[in-house]
Amino acid sequence: MIESRSIDRYFQAMADPYRRGFIERLSEGPASVKELAAPADVQLPAVLKHLRVLEDGGIVVSEKVGRVRTYRMRPDAFNAMTTWIEQRQRDMNAAFDRLAAAMAQVPEEKDH
Amino acid sequence: MIESRSIDRYFQAMADPYRRGFIERLSEGPASVKELAAPADVQLPAVLKHLRVLEDGGIVVSEKVGRVRTYRMRPDAFNAMTTWIEQRQRDMNAAFDRLAAAMAQVPEEKDH
């Protein structure tokens, strides 16, 4: 089972439009800090801070070759979240099925 | 398209272990504030605050009958998140396919 604190960080990493923008870009392929910063209307220190949150959260990894640091998505970036959400949806469906079954056992009053 | 601020709130709502605990409980069926507060080791005001975050984020709805307020999951609670995640995963797969196709065009040196 994934640690609760890890899942906190996953969801926290997603809860910012700039960070989601970087994830959207990196889902299309690796990119350098410069490429990521170019379309963003924020200063470089803020970009680096957001990228650190994504890396600490286990969403992206980075590699430095010479003076260029390149970021890319982790292939399992969304696994923890989707696993958690899918379990909740299974529970919701099961609860709905139980409710539907209980309703089916109620005699229809209009027939009497 | 779903507003960026709404998605922020969705993800933010998930980024807390107490709030995820309430979502886990409510996915199994509706519950009153009292029922939700019972297993949580937090005071009632904190419970109510977390529930308000979930309601503002569009994850749960509540209804008050007499003195009892009951919470239940919104059936579309996870739609915004899963839609966003699925698009990123499609992009990641497409990027991987492009990379694999490019690799396939590189002549295998060992044959020469």
Side-chain angles (χ1 to χ4, degrees):
Chain A
M1 202 186 134
I2 298 142
E3 229 186 292
S4 177
R5 254 186 82 187
S6 304
I7 305 194
D8 282 3
R9 286 196 307 205
Y10 281 114
F11 282 115
Q12 192 62 60
M14 303 290 165
D16 178 276
Y18 289 109
R19 290 199 291 269
R20 282 200 309 281
F22 295 143
I23 293 171
E24 287 168 11
R25 170 61 189 82
L26 291 172
S27 294
E28 294 168 0
S32 67
V33 174
K34 202 174 163 184
E35 288 167 330
L36 289 166
D41 58 344
V42 282
Q43 297 296 306
L44 193 62
V47 170
L48 291 171
K49 194 179 160 191
H50 283 310
L51 290 171
R52 197 156 49 236
V53 172
L54 292 177
E55 194 159 15
D56 291 348
I59 315 279
V60 305
V61 287
S62 73
E63 192 184 15
K64 197 168 182 177
V65 176
R67 297 186 58 185
V68 179
R69 182 171 289 278
T70 302
Y71 284 81
R72 59 184 170 80
M73 293 296 290
R74 280 179 60 148
D76 62 351
F78 300 115
N79 290 13
M81 276 186 299
T82 51
T83 300
W84 186 84
I85 291 171
E86 281 162 10
Q87 182 58 54
R88 304 293 79 74
Q89 284 179 321
R90 273 196 295 275
D91 289 346
M92 284 166 69
N93 290 341
F96 185 83
D97 289 346
R98 280 196 304 274
L99 182 67
M103 299 282 280
Q105 288 190 338
V106 176
E108 290 186 43
E109 284 187 32
K110 65 181 178 188
D111 290 348
H112 299 287
Chain B
M1 200 187 134
I2 298 141
E3 229 186 292
S4 176
R5 255 187 81 188
S6 304
I7 305 195
D8 283 2
R9 286 196 307 206
Y10 282 115
F11 282 115
Q12 192 62 59
M14 303 290 164
D16 178 277
Y18 289 110
R19 290 200 290 269
R20 282 200 308 280
F22 295 143
I23 293 171
E24 286 168 11
R25 170 62 190 82
L26 291 172
S27 294
E28 294 167 0
S32 67
V33 175
K34 204 175 164 184
E35 288 167 330
L36 289 165
D41 57 344
V42 283
Q43 297 295 307
L44 192 62
V47 170
L48 291 171
K49 195 180 160 189
H50 283 311
L51 290 171
R52 196 157 50 236
V53 173
L54 291 177
E55 195 159 15
D56 290 348
I59 316 279
V60 305
V61 286
S62 73
E63 195 184 13
K64 197 167 182 177
V65 177
R67 297 186 59 186
V68 178
R69 183 172 287 278
T70 302
Y71 285 82
R72 59 183 170 81
M73 292 296 289
R74 279 180 62 148
D76 62 351
F78 300 115
N79 290 14
M81 275 186 299
T82 52
T83 299
W84 187 83
I85 291 171
E86 280 162 11
Q87 181 59 54
R88 303 292 80 74
Q89 284 180 321
R90 273 196 295 275
D91 289 346
M92 284 166 70
N93 290 341
F96 185 83
D97 289 346
R98 281 196 302 275
L99 182 66
M103 298 283 279
Q105 289 190 337
V106 175
E108 290 186 43
E109 284 186 32
K110 64 181 177 186
D111 291 347
H112 299 288

